[in-house]
Amino acid sequence: MKGYRLPKRLMLGAATAAAQIEGGDVNHNWRDWERKGRLHVKDSFTRAADHWNRWKEDIDIMAAMGIETYRFSVEWARIEPVAGVFSREAIEHYREEIRYMKELGIRPCLTLHHFTNPMWFERRGGFLYPRNAGAFLRFVGVCVQNFGDLVSDFVTINEPNVYAYMGYAGQDFPPGDNNLLSVQRVLEVMAGCHIRAYEKIHRMREAMGFYDTKVGFALHMRAFAPLSPMSRFESGSVNLSRWGFQDCVARAFLLGEFRLPLRNIGGFKRGVYCDFLGINYYTRNHVILPGNDLTRAQDPKNDYGWEIYPQGLLDVMQELYKICPKPIWILESGVCDENDDFRSLFIYDQLSVLSQTDLPVERYYYWSILDNFEWLDGESKRFGLVHVDYETGERTVKKSGQFYRELIENHGVTEDMALRYVSGEKYHQ
Ligand code: FCB
């Protein structure tokens, strides 16, 4: 097994999201979903990884691993528990955490919206109504005002396409509205929110005297392939899937270019509304018909049954770079692997793709630093480099976490590391 070096400019980090790690009884739409019995498990968001209380320990673990940059989100429902009322206590808590990570040399990358809405916003219809955009932008303003002196890297919205399709084209995610017209509307409203947030964050930070602001959003991208390589029909399905799930969303958010099925309901000008291309990449789907995504029996899979296909990252990076040639930040890439059987192999394969490309990749955030509350599947699905014992809260760095630590230290993989960590691992079929 070969070693490799990573490009000099690439920063290595890890990611989380507030609702998935913090715990506590917070009045957001996912806690509500849990109360309604809509999760696949009986676990509760109130426990999660208890990061709200253990944040210092978690940052210490990251620092010991050499994590260079940490992507996390702040919980809107904590900061604005009642419409227009902002919690000084929650803001101070996050400020303290951000200050601490910076002291330990970790660069913060702050996500403003990662799937959760405060219930007062959800009850108003969330992102389904253009009239609600103002509430989101006010929250963005409060975040920039309160964190803008400490943070220069912002992710406005995490995976609007997953949020819209899972919550509005099916009944899996809240609010479980099964209506394709709602998907279209939510994406249009969210694109407008992103564009206006992009401008607002830059404007506000400039007024504060900062000119190093980087703003983008996180697009969930999948690699798509026809089930039978020769089928023209299936190739057509692949193109439609790609367009409907990710490329039309990318054009609207990154460029203010709204093409069918999306309409420019806010009258936005064409422009460039990003400083980087944020990509969350996990898997590849084979397609016969659009929307009917398949995983082939013969391919390696993670515990979720998602195909492990590291080369697909190259496809999606190229796809997005063609739409908008900006630096690339991989904001999430990870694997669900309960026993840490093949996580080191996964990281080795995934980063080897980045060691070979000429594309300007600047960041890689492994999902996730910790085992955490995986939305519908709660504590049952483990993505972490660090094991969390949910009963005691105890953290233990996994073998893959040790591998990632050495990988960061060497800015690549040595042959000796590959031998010690990777050579004995195999993906599950
Ligand atoms: C992504 C989400 C993230 C996490 C991973 C596994 O779609 O952004 O919160 O749940 O999947």
Side-chain angles (χ1 to χ4, degrees):
M1 242 179 181
K2 281 204 191 130
Y4 55 78
R5 297 276 309 155
L6 288 165
K8 260 215 184 91
R9 62 171 174 262
L10 180 66
M11 281 182 92
L12 296 165
T16 62
Q20 294 180 272
I21 58 167
E22 286 179 350
D25 198 354
V26 184
N27 201 13
H28 56 59
N29 56 337
W30 272 91
R31 169 79 172 116
D32 180 62
W33 208 233
E34 171 200 329
R35 282 207 201 89
K36 289 180 174 147
R38 301 297 295 269
L39 307 186
H40 298 159
V41 289
K42 291 271 171 282
D43 306 336
S44 172
F45 278 95
T46 56
R47 179 155 85 170
D50 194 26
H51 174 81
W52 188 253
N53 298 308
R54 293 174 178 267
W55 61 268
K56 208 165 193 178
E57 181 186 347
D58 291 340
I59 305 288
D60 284 338
I61 293 173
M62 284 186 237
M65 281 171 71
I67 295 293
E68 294 167 339
T69 172
Y70 173 41
R71 174 183 172 226
F72 63 99
S73 72
V74 290
E75 187 63 74
W76 184 4
R78 282 189 190 273
I79 293 184
E80 191 177 2
V82 176
V85 179
F86 295 90
S87 160
R88 206 56 250 167
E89 196 193 326
I91 289 170
E92 273 314 316
H93 179 106
Y94 286 123
R95 279 189 64 83
E96 213 185 324
E97 179 171 354
I98 300 168
R99 262 196 238 109
Y100 189 62
M101 69 181 85
K102 290 184 69 168
E103 258 168 51
L104 298 192
I106 300 171
R107 185 183 174 101
C109 172
L110 194 159
T111 304
L112 296 163
H113 188 274
H114 196 125
F115 289 173
T116 44
N117 298 324
M119 278 315 288
W120 60 262
F121 183 76
E122 187 80 351
R123 287 198 191 98
R124 289 181 186 178
F127 292 97
L128 189 56
Y129 300 105
R131 62 166 187 267
N132 291 344
F136 175 69
L137 289 157
R138 181 178 57 190
F139 164 67
V140 171
V142 168
C143 288
V144 180
Q145 208 181 331
N146 286 286
F147 309 124
D149 58 328
L150 299 172
V151 177
S152 45
D153 305 339
F154 291 85
V155 176
T156 55
I157 299 177
N158 181 69
E159 299 188 350
N161 51 342
V162 170
Y163 177 93
Y165 278 100
M166 295 288 281
Y168 294 84
Q171 291 174 338
D172 288 340
F173 278 25
D177 174 4
N178 204 352
N179 179 351
L180 275 178
L181 289 177
S182 303
V183 175
Q184 174 192 39
R185 180 46 69 100
V186 166
L187 287 171
E188 291 162 355
V189 172
M190 281 186 140
C193 283
H194 164 76
I195 290 172
R196 287 165 64 191
Y198 175 86
E199 293 176 331
K200 185 167 184 163
I201 299 168
H202 273 285
R203 208 170 44 237
M204 284 183 68
R205 281 196 90 244
E206 266 174 42
M208 292 160 88
F210 299 111
Y211 296 88
D212 58 348
T213 310
K214 304 272 184 231
V215 184
F217 82 108
L219 181 63
H220 186 109
M221 296 192 80
R222 283 187 263 153
F224 290 100
L227 188 62
S228 9
M230 303 305 282
S231 163
R232 281 237 215 113
F233 177 79
E234 288 175 16
S235 298
S237 297
V238 163
N239 290 338
L240 274 175
S241 298
R242 211 178 265 143
W243 176 254
F245 184 68
Q246 56 207 29
D247 288 1
C248 78
V249 180
R251 284 189 183 274
F253 278 65
L254 302 173
L255 303 172
E257 191 184 310
F258 291 79
R259 295 205 204 154
L260 280 176
L262 300 184
R263 300 149 310 164
N264 190 353
I265 55 175
F268 295 102
K269 286 207 196 85
R270 296 246 185 130
V272 179
Y273 301 109
C274 66
D275 304 303
F276 58 84
L277 305 174
I279 296 177
N280 293 1
Y281 172 72
Y282 287 91
T283 192
R284 170 171 73 168
N285 286 131
H286 284 87
V287 181
I288 301 176
L289 283 168
N292 180 8
D293 305 318
L294 306 167
T295 304
R296 298 184 305 186
Q298 70 265 35
D299 292 324
K301 291 173 197 65
N302 72 18
D303 291 358
Y304 247 132
W306 305 346
E307 183 187 350
I308 298 174
Y309 182 61
Q311 304 87 309
L313 181 60
L314 189 60
D315 302 348
V316 299
M317 289 194 302
Q318 280 166 343
E319 184 181 324
L320 202 58
Y321 195 76
K322 252 190 236 151
I323 293 174
C324 179
K326 282 279 181 181
I328 296 171
W329 293 14
I330 309 303
L331 292 173
E332 284 180 32
S333 149
V335 78
C336 184
D337 172 15
E338 164 108 38
N339 298 317
D340 207 38
D341 288 336
F342 46 79
R343 187 172 282 103
S344 301
L345 172 61
F346 168 81
I347 293 172
Y348 172 87
D349 282 343
Q350 194 61 97
L351 284 172
S352 124
V353 170
L354 298 187
S355 75
Q356 289 164 38
T357 177
D358 291 333
L359 289 165
V361 189
E362 292 183 346
R363 305 270 177 104
Y364 176 84
Y365 292 91
Y366 178 79
W367 180 273
S368 168
I369 185 72
L370 295 174
D371 288 337
N372 62 53
F373 199 94
E374 177 48 39
W375 307 112
L376 291 171
D377 296 290
E379 297 168 6
S380 70
K381 294 282 185 271
R382 295 183 182 267
F383 282 81
L385 296 167
V386 176
H387 179 271
V388 174
D389 179 330
Y390 289 105
E391 294 301 328
T392 63
E394 195 188 337
R395 274 77 167 135
T396 315
V397 178
K398 300 179 190 178
K399 176 183 147 205
S400 55
Q402 309 284 5
F403 174 57
Y404 200 51
R405 184 188 65 72
E406 285 192 43
L407 189 150
I408 296 172
E409 191 176 74
N410 290 288
H411 206 68
V413 181
T414 60
E415 260 177 56
D416 170 61
M417 282 167 64
L419 194 69
R420 277 186 292 124
Y421 289 100
V422 185
S423 61
E425 297 199 349
K426 252 204 340 243
Y427 293 128
H428 299 174
Q429 215 65 36

